[in-house]
Amino acid sequence: MKVRKVPQRKCIVCQKTLSKREMLRVVRTPEGEVELDPTGKKNGRGAYICGDAEAFKKARKTKAFERALKVSLTPEQHDSLEQSFLAVQDKFKSVSCGKPDEQAE
Ligand SMILES: [Zn+2]
């Protein structure tokens, strides 16, 4: 049996479990800022979300970041998270937040 172990992370919005590289890490820094962590190496409490712009909209609606990171976010902070995501989204495999895995073709 050759099962390659890929770290799995759960999306805080849709609860789907995906490999780490398909997920985006959002971190609450020791200073209390909430920021995107595309490298996955920042210190702080982390939460994972699908690499999908929709995921950010849903997270905002459902307060998923607030619950996962135990912070409250202003609309400005949500905006800046979304903006940061848009800047790096090409690096992520596109996955659709909330939808079950789809077969291409
Ligand atoms: Zn998701």
Side-chain angles (χ1 to χ4, degrees):
M1 288 264 289
K2 51 166 195 176
V3 178
R4 184 117 55 91
K5 216 169 175 216
V6 180
Q8 301 276 301
R9 293 291 180 270
K10 203 193 224 182
C11 174
I12 58 167
V13 177
C14 67
Q15 314 297 317
K16 194 158 66 180
T17 306
L18 292 169
S19 72
K20 213 177 156 184
R21 47 198 309 221
E22 293 169 298
M23 307 297 287
L24 198 59
R25 186 170 186 252
V26 176
V27 72
R28 188 188 74 190
T29 68
E31 292 77 37
E33 292 295 314
V34 175
E35 41 191 63
L36 226 56
D37 178 19
T39 63
K41 293 193 173 78
K42 283 184 188 168
N43 282 328
R45 187 189 177 98
Y48 288 83
I49 184 170
C50 295
D52 177 20
E54 274 302 305
F56 282 81
K57 297 200 176 76
K58 287 181 195 160
R60 182 177 193 145
K61 229 187 269 176
T62 60
K63 298 189 184 297
F65 289 127
E66 278 97 331
R67 276 183 285 126
L69 299 173
K70 309 213 189 302
V71 286
S72 55
L73 290 176
T74 63
E76 289 73 25
Q77 284 175 303
H78 271 293
D79 285 344
S80 106
L81 280 176
E82 278 188 48
Q83 291 308 314
S84 320
F85 170 70
L86 293 177
V88 299
Q89 67 174 331
D90 292 348
K91 297 197 182 78
F92 290 85
K93 276 173 96 175
S94 87
V95 290
S96 300
C97 186
K99 291 183 197 144
D101 298 338
E102 302 160 309
Q103 308 294 330
E105 286 148 357

